[in-house]
Amino acid sequence: MSVVSTPAVLLRSFNYSETSRVLRLYTKDLGLVSVMAKGVRRSSARGHGALDTFSRGELTAYVRPTRDLQTFKEFAVEEAGGSLGRDVLRFAGASVLAEIVLLHAAPDPSPQVFERLTNALRRIDTEPLAGIVGAVLAEGWMLVATLGYEPHIDRCVHCGKTLDATEVLRFDFSAGGVRCSGCGSDHSGPRVGPGARQQLATLLRGTVPEVLGKPRAHLRLLHDFVTYHISGSKPLKTFKIFGSVAGLDE
Ligand SMILES: [Zn+2]
């Protein structure tokens, strides 16, 4: 067993007993870790707790590589997650990104994913409320790309042809990108018109289009893509909650 300190962000926690909590964090040096924090419920009751979801700081834990659950020593918070928790839309949006990372479950740590995720949470914390849906979509696609699943939207994933800017395409989840109008005519994937494709390209660069058309369709596309490539076809609860809080329900 060794004592390890690493930058970390708290993504989820749940009570384990009267006094303890299990924390799930994404860390820069260890990737996704679960730690058992004994006695923290008692200490947070005394006002020392800074274990708010989305807090960023330095985690110190006793780590045994063969174990799934490590032992918590300390979490020195540098940026409290409390402000995200005070707004339901921001919290729901941040939860979407957290769930993508939690479900990805990659065995190897990725400092790039850590950077991407913590920058995304900062952006969702500070973005004006009217821009939260766009920010979550942009950060969601960039996170997916950083995890290694960037969708291909410049060429047809089936025949390889360069796509015409005016073409109506079909999204092919299993191939991880779009099909041209010819290859897409008998494909059942969602239709991607010229406007939607341009908006998706903008979101993939991390920018929000000035007028974000059909945000509900964009959210569904991101959800279905994540479901296909990352979550092992398990639907993501946070997308539904976020869509509902953002007023994007059917
Ligand atoms: Zn084609």
Side-chain angles (χ1 to χ4, degrees), residues 84-143:
L84 270 169
R86 277 193 289 277
D87 182 273
V88 68
L89 181 63
R90 290 181 204 279
F91 190 83
S95 301
V96 165
L97 304 180
E99 192 172 25
I100 293 173
V101 170
L102 286 164
L103 287 171
H104 183 240
D108 298 321
S110 164
Q112 292 79 15
V113 170
F114 180 78
E115 289 300 320
R116 186 75 266 149
L117 177 63
T118 47
N119 286 337
L121 295 174
R122 255 179 231 127
R123 178 172 176 185
I124 292 168
D125 197 5
T126 52
E127 186 82 19
L129 266 184
I132 296 295
V133 171
V136 169
L137 287 168
E139 292 296 336
W141 279 118
M142 285 202 296
L143 185 59

Short mmCIF file of all heavy atoms in Angstrom, two decimals, residues 84-143:
data_model
loop_
_atom_site.label_atom_id
_atom_site.label_comp_id
_atom_site.label_asym_id
_atom_site.label_seq_id
_atom_site.Cartn_x
_atom_site.Cartn_y
_atom_site.Cartn_z
N LEU A 84 -21.78 25.22 -8.30
CA LEU A 84 -22.52 24.43 -9.30
C LEU A 84 -23.76 23.81 -8.67
O LEU A 84 -24.80 23.71 -9.30
CB LEU A 84 -21.63 23.31 -9.85
CG LEU A 84 -20.79 23.62 -11.08
CD1 LEU A 84 -19.77 22.51 -11.31
CD2 LEU A 84 -21.66 23.77 -12.31
N GLY A 85 -23.62 23.43 -7.41
CA GLY A 85 -24.73 22.79 -6.72
C GLY A 85 -25.87 23.74 -6.38
O GLY A 85 -26.98 23.30 -6.08
N ARG A 86 -25.62 25.03 -6.44
CA ARG A 86 -26.68 25.99 -6.09
C ARG A 86 -27.63 26.26 -7.24
O ARG A 86 -28.65 26.90 -7.06
CB ARG A 86 -26.06 27.31 -5.61
CG ARG A 86 -25.66 27.26 -4.14
CD ARG A 86 -25.35 28.64 -3.60
NE ARG A 86 -24.10 29.15 -4.12
CZ ARG A 86 -22.89 28.86 -3.62
NH1 ARG A 86 -22.80 28.05 -2.60
NH2 ARG A 86 -21.81 29.38 -4.14
N ASP A 87 -27.28 25.82 -8.44
CA ASP A 87 -28.16 26.06 -9.58
C ASP A 87 -28.49 24.73 -10.24
O ASP A 87 -27.61 23.99 -10.67
CB ASP A 87 -27.47 26.98 -10.59
CG ASP A 87 -28.38 27.28 -11.76
OD1 ASP A 87 -28.40 26.49 -12.73
OD2 ASP A 87 -29.12 28.27 -11.67
N VAL A 88 -29.77 24.42 -10.33
CA VAL A 88 -30.18 23.08 -10.76
C VAL A 88 -29.79 22.79 -12.22
O VAL A 88 -29.41 21.68 -12.56
CB VAL A 88 -31.69 22.86 -10.47
CG1 VAL A 88 -32.56 23.73 -11.34
CG2 VAL A 88 -32.06 21.40 -10.60
N LEU A 89 -29.84 23.82 -13.08
CA LEU A 89 -29.50 23.60 -14.49
C LEU A 89 -28.00 23.34 -14.65
O LEU A 89 -27.57 22.43 -15.36
CB LEU A 89 -29.92 24.82 -15.33
CG LEU A 89 -29.65 24.71 -16.84
CD1 LEU A 89 -30.44 23.57 -17.47
CD2 LEU A 89 -29.95 26.02 -17.55
N ARG A 90 -27.18 24.15 -13.96
CA ARG A 90 -25.73 23.95 -14.01
C ARG A 90 -25.37 22.57 -13.43
O ARG A 90 -24.53 21.85 -13.96
CB ARG A 90 -25.00 25.02 -13.18
CG ARG A 90 -25.07 26.39 -13.78
CD ARG A 90 -24.31 27.40 -12.91
NE ARG A 90 -24.81 28.74 -13.15
CZ ARG A 90 -24.46 29.50 -14.18
NH1 ARG A 90 -23.56 29.07 -15.03
NH2 ARG A 90 -24.97 30.70 -14.33
N PHE A 91 -26.01 22.24 -12.30
CA PHE A 91 -25.71 20.96 -11.65
C PHE A 91 -26.07 19.79 -12.57
O PHE A 91 -25.31 18.83 -12.72
CB PHE A 91 -26.47 20.86 -10.33
CG PHE A 91 -26.02 19.70 -9.49
CD1 PHE A 91 -24.90 19.79 -8.68
CD2 PHE A 91 -26.72 18.49 -9.52
CE1 PHE A 91 -24.47 18.72 -7.92
CE2 PHE A 91 -26.30 17.41 -8.74
CZ PHE A 91 -25.17 17.53 -7.95
N ALA A 92 -27.25 19.90 -13.20
CA ALA A 92 -27.69 18.82 -14.11
C ALA A 92 -26.75 18.71 -15.30
O ALA A 92 -26.42 17.61 -15.76
CB ALA A 92 -29.13 19.07 -14.57
N GLY A 93 -26.29 19.85 -15.82
CA GLY A 93 -25.37 19.85 -16.96
C GLY A 93 -24.03 19.23 -16.58
O GLY A 93 -23.47 18.41 -17.32
N ALA A 94 -23.52 19.62 -15.42
CA ALA A 94 -22.25 19.06 -14.95
C ALA A 94 -22.39 17.55 -14.73
O ALA A 94 -21.45 16.78 -14.97
CB ALA A 94 -21.82 19.76 -13.67
N SER A 95 -23.58 17.13 -14.29
CA SER A 95 -23.82 15.70 -14.03
C SER A 95 -23.76 14.88 -15.32
O SER A 95 -23.38 13.71 -15.30
CB SER A 95 -25.17 15.50 -13.35
OG SER A 95 -25.20 16.21 -12.13
N VAL A 96 -24.18 15.50 -16.44
CA VAL A 96 -24.09 14.81 -17.74
C VAL A 96 -22.63 14.46 -18.04
O VAL A 96 -22.30 13.33 -18.39
CB VAL A 96 -24.68 15.70 -18.86
CG1 VAL A 96 -24.27 15.20 -20.24
CG2 VAL A 96 -26.21 15.77 -18.75
N LEU A 97 -21.75 15.45 -17.86
CA LEU A 97 -20.33 15.21 -18.16
C LEU A 97 -19.74 14.19 -17.19
O LEU A 97 -18.95 13.32 -17.58
CB LEU A 97 -19.56 16.52 -18.09
CG LEU A 97 -20.09 17.63 -19.02
CD1 LEU A 97 -19.26 18.89 -18.87
CD2 LEU A 97 -20.11 17.18 -20.46
N ALA A 98 -20.15 14.30 -15.92
CA ALA A 98 -19.66 13.35 -14.92
C ALA A 98 -20.08 11.93 -15.28
O ALA A 98 -19.28 10.99 -15.19
CB ALA A 98 -20.20 13.72 -13.54
N GLU A 99 -21.33 11.77 -15.73
CA GLU A 99 -21.81 10.42 -16.02
C GLU A 99 -21.06 9.81 -17.21
O GLU A 99 -20.76 8.62 -17.23
CB GLU A 99 -23.32 10.41 -16.28
CG GLU A 99 -23.86 8.98 -16.30
CD GLU A 99 -25.38 8.87 -16.36
OE1 GLU A 99 -26.03 9.82 -16.83
OE2 GLU A 99 -25.90 7.82 -15.93
N ILE A 100 -20.74 10.65 -18.20
CA ILE A 100 -19.98 10.15 -19.35
C ILE A 100 -18.65 9.57 -18.86
O ILE A 100 -18.25 8.46 -19.23
CB ILE A 100 -19.74 11.28 -20.39
CG1 ILE A 100 -21.07 11.71 -21.02
CG2 ILE A 100 -18.75 10.82 -21.46
CD1 ILE A 100 -20.96 12.93 -21.93
N VAL A 101 -17.97 10.31 -17.97
CA VAL A 101 -16.67 9.85 -17.47
C VAL A 101 -16.83 8.62 -16.56
O VAL A 101 -16.06 7.66 -16.65
CB VAL A 101 -15.95 11.00 -16.74
CG1 VAL A 101 -14.72 10.51 -16.01
CG2 VAL A 101 -15.56 12.09 -17.74
N LEU A 102 -17.86 8.63 -15.73
CA LEU A 102 -18.08 7.50 -14.82
C LEU A 102 -18.38 6.21 -15.59
O LEU A 102 -17.97 5.13 -15.18
CB LEU A 102 -19.23 7.81 -13.85
CG LEU A 102 -18.90 8.81 -12.73
CD1 LEU A 102 -20.18 9.34 -12.09
CD2 LEU A 102 -17.99 8.18 -11.68
N LEU A 103 -19.11 6.34 -16.69
CA LEU A 103 -19.46 5.15 -17.45
C LEU A 103 -18.35 4.68 -18.37
O LEU A 103 -18.33 3.54 -18.80
CB LEU A 103 -20.72 5.41 -18.28
CG LEU A 103 -22.01 5.48 -17.48
CD1 LEU A 103 -23.15 5.95 -18.36
CD2 LEU A 103 -22.34 4.12 -16.88
N HIS A 104 -17.42 5.57 -18.66
CA HIS A 104 -16.36 5.20 -19.59
C HIS A 104 -15.45 4.12 -19.01
O HIS A 104 -15.09 3.17 -19.70
CB HIS A 104 -15.56 6.43 -20.00
CG HIS A 104 -14.51 6.12 -21.01
ND1 HIS A 104 -13.17 6.33 -20.78
CD2 HIS A 104 -14.60 5.58 -22.25
CE1 HIS A 104 -12.49 5.94 -21.85
NE2 HIS A 104 -13.32 5.48 -22.74
N ALA A 105 -15.13 4.29 -17.72
CA ALA A 105 -14.40 3.25 -17.00
C ALA A 105 -13.15 2.75 -17.71
O ALA A 105 -12.92 1.56 -17.85
CB ALA A 105 -15.32 2.06 -16.70
N ALA A 106 -12.32 3.67 -18.20
CA ALA A 106 -11.07 3.28 -18.84
C ALA A 106 -10.09 2.82 -17.77
O ALA A 106 -10.05 3.38 -16.69
CB ALA A 106 -10.48 4.46 -19.60
N PRO A 107 -9.32 1.80 -18.07
CA PRO A 107 -8.38 1.30 -17.07
C PRO A 107 -7.20 2.25 -16.83
O PRO A 107 -6.65 2.29 -15.74
CB PRO A 107 -7.89 -0.02 -17.67
CG PRO A 107 -8.14 0.10 -19.14
CD PRO A 107 -9.29 1.04 -19.32
N ASP A 108 -6.82 3.03 -17.85
CA ASP A 108 -5.63 3.88 -17.71
C ASP A 108 -6.00 5.32 -17.39
O ASP A 108 -6.95 5.85 -17.94
CB ASP A 108 -4.81 3.85 -19.00
CG ASP A 108 -4.33 2.45 -19.31
OD1 ASP A 108 -3.95 1.75 -18.36
OD2 ASP A 108 -4.37 2.06 -20.49
N PRO A 109 -5.23 5.95 -16.50
CA PRO A 109 -5.48 7.36 -16.22
C PRO A 109 -5.17 8.21 -17.44
O PRO A 109 -4.29 7.88 -18.23
CB PRO A 109 -4.50 7.68 -15.09
CG PRO A 109 -3.48 6.62 -15.11
CD PRO A 109 -4.11 5.41 -15.73
N SER A 110 -5.91 9.29 -17.60
CA SER A 110 -5.65 10.21 -18.71
C SER A 110 -5.64 11.64 -18.19
O SER A 110 -6.70 12.19 -17.89
CB SER A 110 -6.74 10.04 -19.78
OG SER A 110 -6.71 11.14 -20.66
N PRO A 111 -4.45 12.26 -18.09
CA PRO A 111 -4.39 13.65 -17.68
C PRO A 111 -5.19 14.56 -18.62
O PRO A 111 -5.74 15.57 -18.20
CB PRO A 111 -2.89 13.98 -17.74
CG PRO A 111 -2.20 12.67 -17.61
CD PRO A 111 -3.11 11.67 -18.27
N GLN A 112 -5.28 14.16 -19.92
CA GLN A 112 -6.06 14.97 -20.88
C GLN A 112 -7.53 14.97 -20.52
O GLN A 112 -8.20 16.00 -20.59
CB GLN A 112 -5.89 14.41 -22.31
CG GLN A 112 -4.50 14.56 -22.91
CD GLN A 112 -3.51 13.51 -22.41
OE1 GLN A 112 -3.90 12.50 -21.80
NE2 GLN A 112 -2.24 13.73 -22.64
N VAL A 113 -8.05 13.80 -20.14
CA VAL A 113 -9.46 13.73 -19.73
C VAL A 113 -9.68 14.56 -18.47
O VAL A 113 -10.66 15.29 -18.34
CB VAL A 113 -9.90 12.26 -19.52
CG1 VAL A 113 -11.27 12.18 -18.86
CG2 VAL A 113 -9.91 11.51 -20.84
N PHE A 114 -8.72 14.49 -17.55
CA PHE A 114 -8.83 15.28 -16.32
C PHE A 114 -8.90 16.77 -16.64
O PHE A 114 -9.77 17.50 -16.13
CB PHE A 114 -7.64 14.99 -15.39
CG PHE A 114 -7.70 15.77 -14.11
CD1 PHE A 114 -8.55 15.38 -13.09
CD2 PHE A 114 -6.95 16.93 -13.95
CE1 PHE A 114 -8.64 16.13 -11.92
CE2 PHE A 114 -7.03 17.68 -12.79
CZ PHE A 114 -7.88 17.28 -11.77
N GLU A 115 -8.01 17.25 -17.51
CA GLU A 115 -8.00 18.66 -17.90
C GLU A 115 -9.31 19.05 -18.58
O GLU A 115 -9.91 20.08 -18.27
CB GLU A 115 -6.85 18.95 -18.88
CG GLU A 115 -5.48 18.92 -18.26
CD GLU A 115 -5.30 19.93 -17.13
OE1 GLU A 115 -5.79 21.06 -17.28
OE2 GLU A 115 -4.69 19.58 -16.11
N ARG A 116 -9.73 18.22 -19.52
CA ARG A 116 -10.94 18.49 -20.29
C ARG A 116 -12.15 18.61 -19.35
O ARG A 116 -12.94 19.52 -19.43
CB ARG A 116 -11.15 17.34 -21.29
CG ARG A 116 -12.23 17.44 -22.28
CD ARG A 116 -11.92 18.40 -23.41
NE ARG A 116 -12.47 19.70 -23.10
CZ ARG A 116 -11.94 20.85 -23.50
NH1 ARG A 116 -10.85 20.87 -24.23
NH2 ARG A 116 -12.51 21.99 -23.17
N LEU A 117 -12.25 17.65 -18.45
CA LEU A 117 -13.39 17.60 -17.53
C LEU A 117 -13.38 18.79 -16.57
O LEU A 117 -14.41 19.43 -16.37
CB LEU A 117 -13.35 16.27 -16.76
CG LEU A 117 -14.42 16.07 -15.69
CD1 LEU A 117 -15.82 16.05 -16.32
CD2 LEU A 117 -14.19 14.75 -14.94
N THR A 118 -12.24 19.11 -16.00
CA THR A 118 -12.21 20.20 -15.02
C THR A 118 -12.44 21.55 -15.72
O THR A 118 -13.13 22.41 -15.19
CB THR A 118 -10.90 20.21 -14.21
OG1 THR A 118 -9.79 20.06 -15.08
CG2 THR A 118 -10.87 19.10 -13.19
N ASN A 119 -11.89 21.71 -16.95
CA ASN A 119 -12.18 22.95 -17.69
C ASN A 119 -13.67 23.05 -18.00
O ASN A 119 -14.26 24.13 -17.92
CB ASN A 119 -11.39 22.99 -19.00
CG ASN A 119 -9.92 23.28 -18.74
OD1 ASN A 119 -9.56 23.84 -17.71
ND2 ASN A 119 -9.07 22.90 -19.67
N ALA A 120 -14.26 21.93 -18.36
CA ALA A 120 -15.69 21.91 -18.69
C ALA A 120 -16.53 22.32 -17.48
O ALA A 120 -17.47 23.10 -17.58
CB ALA A 120 -16.10 20.52 -19.17
N LEU A 121 -16.18 21.80 -16.32
CA LEU A 121 -16.95 22.12 -15.11
C LEU A 121 -16.82 23.60 -14.76
O LEU A 121 -17.80 24.24 -14.37
CB LEU A 121 -16.49 21.24 -13.94
CG LEU A 121 -16.77 19.74 -14.12
CD1 LEU A 121 -16.14 18.95 -12.99
CD2 LEU A 121 -18.27 19.46 -14.20
N ARG A 122 -15.63 24.14 -14.96
CA ARG A 122 -15.43 25.58 -14.73
C ARG A 122 -16.30 26.40 -15.67
O ARG A 122 -16.90 27.39 -15.29
CB ARG A 122 -13.96 25.94 -14.97
CG ARG A 122 -13.22 26.17 -13.68
CD ARG A 122 -11.76 26.51 -13.94
NE ARG A 122 -10.97 25.64 -13.12
CZ ARG A 122 -9.99 24.86 -13.54
NH1 ARG A 122 -9.66 24.83 -14.82
NH2 ARG A 122 -9.34 24.11 -12.69
N ARG A 123 -16.34 25.96 -16.93
CA ARG A 123 -17.14 26.70 -17.92
C ARG A 123 -18.63 26.66 -17.57
O ARG A 123 -19.32 27.67 -17.65
CB ARG A 123 -16.90 26.09 -19.30
CG ARG A 123 -17.71 26.73 -20.42
CD ARG A 123 -17.25 26.19 -21.75
NE ARG A 123 -18.05 26.70 -22.86
CZ ARG A 123 -17.90 26.28 -24.12
NH1 ARG A 123 -16.99 25.39 -24.42
NH2 ARG A 123 -18.65 26.78 -25.08
N ILE A 124 -19.11 25.51 -17.15
CA ILE A 124 -20.52 25.38 -16.81
C ILE A 124 -20.85 26.19 -15.55
O ILE A 124 -21.95 26.69 -15.38
CB ILE A 124 -20.90 23.88 -16.67
CG1 ILE A 124 -20.83 23.24 -18.06
CG2 ILE A 124 -22.29 23.70 -16.08
CD1 ILE A 124 -20.89 21.74 -18.05
N ASP A 125 -19.85 26.34 -14.70
CA ASP A 125 -20.02 27.14 -13.49
C ASP A 125 -20.15 28.63 -13.79
O ASP A 125 -20.88 29.36 -13.12
CB ASP A 125 -18.81 26.89 -12.57
CG ASP A 125 -19.07 27.31 -11.13
OD1 ASP A 125 -20.21 27.70 -10.83
OD2 ASP A 125 -18.14 27.26 -10.33
N THR A 126 -19.46 29.10 -14.84
CA THR A 126 -19.37 30.54 -15.06
C THR A 126 -20.17 31.04 -16.26
O THR A 126 -20.41 32.23 -16.38
CB THR A 126 -17.89 30.94 -15.28
OG1 THR A 126 -17.35 30.12 -16.31
CG2 THR A 126 -17.08 30.76 -14.01
N GLU A 127 -20.56 30.15 -17.15
CA GLU A 127 -21.32 30.53 -18.35
C GLU A 127 -22.64 31.20 -17.94
O GLU A 127 -23.30 30.76 -17.01
CB GLU A 127 -21.62 29.24 -19.13
CG GLU A 127 -22.28 29.41 -20.45
CD GLU A 127 -21.29 29.75 -21.57
OE1 GLU A 127 -20.08 29.52 -21.42
OE2 GLU A 127 -21.78 30.26 -22.59
N PRO A 128 -23.08 32.26 -18.65
CA PRO A 128 -24.42 32.80 -18.37
C PRO A 128 -25.48 31.70 -18.54
O PRO A 128 -25.33 30.83 -19.40
CB PRO A 128 -24.60 33.90 -19.42
CG PRO A 128 -23.22 34.26 -19.85
CD PRO A 128 -22.38 33.03 -19.68
N LEU A 129 -26.51 31.77 -17.73
CA LEU A 129 -27.52 30.69 -17.72
C LEU A 129 -28.07 30.37 -19.11
O LEU A 129 -28.29 29.21 -19.45
CB LEU A 129 -28.68 31.06 -16.79
CG LEU A 129 -28.59 30.55 -15.36
CD1 LEU A 129 -29.85 30.93 -14.60
CD2 LEU A 129 -28.39 29.03 -15.32
N ALA A 130 -28.27 31.38 -19.93
CA ALA A 130 -28.85 31.18 -21.26
C ALA A 130 -27.93 30.33 -22.15
O ALA A 130 -28.40 29.76 -23.14
CB ALA A 130 -29.13 32.52 -21.92
N GLY A 131 -26.66 30.25 -21.80
CA GLY A 131 -25.72 29.50 -22.64
C GLY A 131 -25.39 28.12 -22.14
O GLY A 131 -24.54 27.44 -22.70
N ILE A 132 -26.06 27.68 -21.07
CA ILE A 132 -25.67 26.41 -20.44
C ILE A 132 -25.91 25.20 -21.36
O ILE A 132 -25.06 24.32 -21.47
CB ILE A 132 -26.42 26.20 -19.09
CG1 ILE A 132 -26.00 27.27 -18.08
CG2 ILE A 132 -26.16 24.81 -18.52
CD1 ILE A 132 -24.56 27.22 -17.65
N VAL A 133 -27.04 25.19 -22.06
CA VAL A 133 -27.32 24.03 -22.92
C VAL A 133 -26.23 23.91 -23.99
O VAL A 133 -25.66 22.83 -24.20
CB VAL A 133 -28.72 24.13 -23.56
CG1 VAL A 133 -28.92 23.06 -24.62
CG2 VAL A 133 -29.80 24.01 -22.48
N GLY A 134 -25.89 25.02 -24.63
CA GLY A 134 -24.84 25.01 -25.64
C GLY A 134 -23.50 24.60 -25.06
O GLY A 134 -22.77 23.81 -25.66
N ALA A 135 -23.20 25.10 -23.87
CA ALA A 135 -21.90 24.77 -23.24
C ALA A 135 -21.82 23.28 -22.91
O ALA A 135 -20.77 22.65 -23.11
CB ALA A 135 -21.71 25.61 -21.98
N VAL A 136 -22.92 22.72 -22.44
CA VAL A 136 -22.92 21.28 -22.11
C VAL A 136 -22.74 20.44 -23.38
O VAL A 136 -21.98 19.46 -23.39
CB VAL A 136 -24.21 20.89 -21.34
CG1 VAL A 136 -24.36 19.38 -21.24
CG2 VAL A 136 -24.21 21.54 -19.96
N LEU A 137 -23.40 20.86 -24.46
CA LEU A 137 -23.25 20.13 -25.73
C LEU A 137 -21.81 20.23 -26.25
O LEU A 137 -21.21 19.21 -26.64
CB LEU A 137 -24.22 20.68 -26.79
CG LEU A 137 -25.69 20.33 -26.58
CD1 LEU A 137 -26.58 21.17 -27.50
CD2 LEU A 137 -25.94 18.84 -26.84
N ALA A 138 -21.25 21.44 -26.23
CA ALA A 138 -19.89 21.63 -26.74
C ALA A 138 -18.90 20.84 -25.87
O ALA A 138 -18.04 20.11 -26.39
CB ALA A 138 -19.53 23.11 -26.74
N GLU A 139 -19.03 20.97 -24.57
CA GLU A 139 -18.10 20.28 -23.67
C GLU A 139 -18.33 18.77 -23.73
O GLU A 139 -17.38 17.99 -23.61
CB GLU A 139 -18.25 20.79 -22.24
CG GLU A 139 -17.79 22.23 -22.05
CD GLU A 139 -16.30 22.43 -22.30
OE1 GLU A 139 -15.52 21.45 -22.18
OE2 GLU A 139 -15.90 23.56 -22.63
N GLY A 140 -19.57 18.35 -23.90
CA GLY A 140 -19.89 16.93 -24.01
C GLY A 140 -19.19 16.31 -25.22
O GLY A 140 -18.53 15.27 -25.11
N TRP A 141 -19.29 16.98 -26.38
CA TRP A 141 -18.65 16.44 -27.58
C TRP A 141 -17.13 16.47 -27.46
O TRP A 141 -16.44 15.55 -27.89
CB TRP A 141 -19.11 17.22 -28.83
CG TRP A 141 -20.43 16.77 -29.34
CD1 TRP A 141 -21.58 17.52 -29.44
CD2 TRP A 141 -20.78 15.47 -29.86
NE1 TRP A 141 -22.60 16.77 -29.96
CE2 TRP A 141 -22.14 15.51 -30.23
CE3 TRP A 141 -20.07 14.28 -30.02
CZ2 TRP A 141 -22.80 14.41 -30.76
CZ3 TRP A 141 -20.73 13.17 -30.56
CH2 TRP A 141 -22.09 13.24 -30.93
N MET A 142 -16.60 17.53 -26.85
CA MET A 142 -15.14 17.58 -26.71
C MET A 142 -14.64 16.50 -25.75
O MET A 142 -13.58 15.92 -25.95
CB MET A 142 -14.69 18.97 -26.24
CG MET A 142 -14.77 20.00 -27.36
SD MET A 142 -13.70 21.42 -27.04
CE MET A 142 -14.48 22.07 -25.59
N LEU A 143 -15.44 16.24 -24.72
CA LEU A 143 -15.07 15.18 -23.77
C LEU A 143 -15.08 13.82 -24.46
O LEU A 143 -14.16 13.00 -24.31
CB LEU A 143 -16.05 15.21 -22.59
CG LEU A 143 -15.77 14.27 -21.43
CD1 LEU A 143 -14.41 14.53 -20.80
CD2 LEU A 143 -16.86 14.42 -20.35
#
